[in-house]
Amino acid sequence: MVIKTNKTFNNKKGFSLIETLAVVSITAFLALGIIFTIRQGQAASALNDAQTVIIRSLEEAQNRALTGIGTQNHGVYIDEKTVTVFEGSTYVTGTGKTFLLPPLTATDQTGKTIIYKRLAGTADANAVITITQALSGAVKKIIVTTAGEITPE
């Protein structure tokens, strides 16, 4: 009896190591691209959110001054990571409503106070507030005029 064996290996099934590594490399590259894009979107969103928080705080203080709420002027105290809306002509630590800026964003202000005159809504001084996003380095500005105009840039 003669037993024949098939010594050819041409009918292999499956993928070679090189093919598998190529697919894994392409998948990893695509995943990194997606993650990078998502991070950029998050950074831009955080910067927009920080600008919105500051503008809304300025508008709230101005509206409170215009409507004559309370018996004093109203102001906004801006620090690197927080914004506080308060009543009065000077900020007293621990008073008012404080809002935190989104993570990885900061202003160029350290203890900047903008006061809105009661019943007039005019600001005591011109101000330019610069907000920076730490990861991307992107910058947005808010301009406040003595006439009370608040302009985002």
Side-chain angles (χ1 to χ4, degrees), residues 1-18:
M1 170 186 256
V2 176
I3 300 176
K4 292 186 177 182
T5 60
N6 185 0
K7 292 188 179 185
T8 62
F9 297 102
N10 291 338
N11 59 356
K12 296 188 287 183
K13 295 181 182 176
F15 298 104
S16 70
L17 179 61
I18 299 295

Side-chain angles (χ1 to χ4, degrees), residues 8 20 48 64 66 80 90-91 95-96 101 120 140-141 149:
T8 62
T20 305
N48 288 336
R64 292 175 67 82
L66 279 168
E80 188 177 2
T90 56
Y91 173 68
T95 62
L101 296 179
K140 290 209 173 213
K141 293 183 179 188
E149 296 172 2

Side-chain angles (χ1 to χ4, degrees), residues 19-64:
E19 292 168 329
T20 305
L21 288 174
V23 169
V24 168
S25 297
I26 291 169
T27 304
F29 182 73
L30 290 173
L32 285 173
I34 291 169
I35 290 170
F36 180 73
T37 302
I38 289 171
R39 295 274 176 159
Q40 282 184 320
Q42 289 174 335
S45 178
L47 189 59
N48 288 336
D49 291 348
Q51 187 180 41
T52 300
V53 166
I54 294 171
I55 289 172
R56 296 295 173 253
S57 297
L58 291 165
E59 289 173 342
E60 181 179 344
Q62 186 180 37
N63 288 335
R64 292 175 67 82

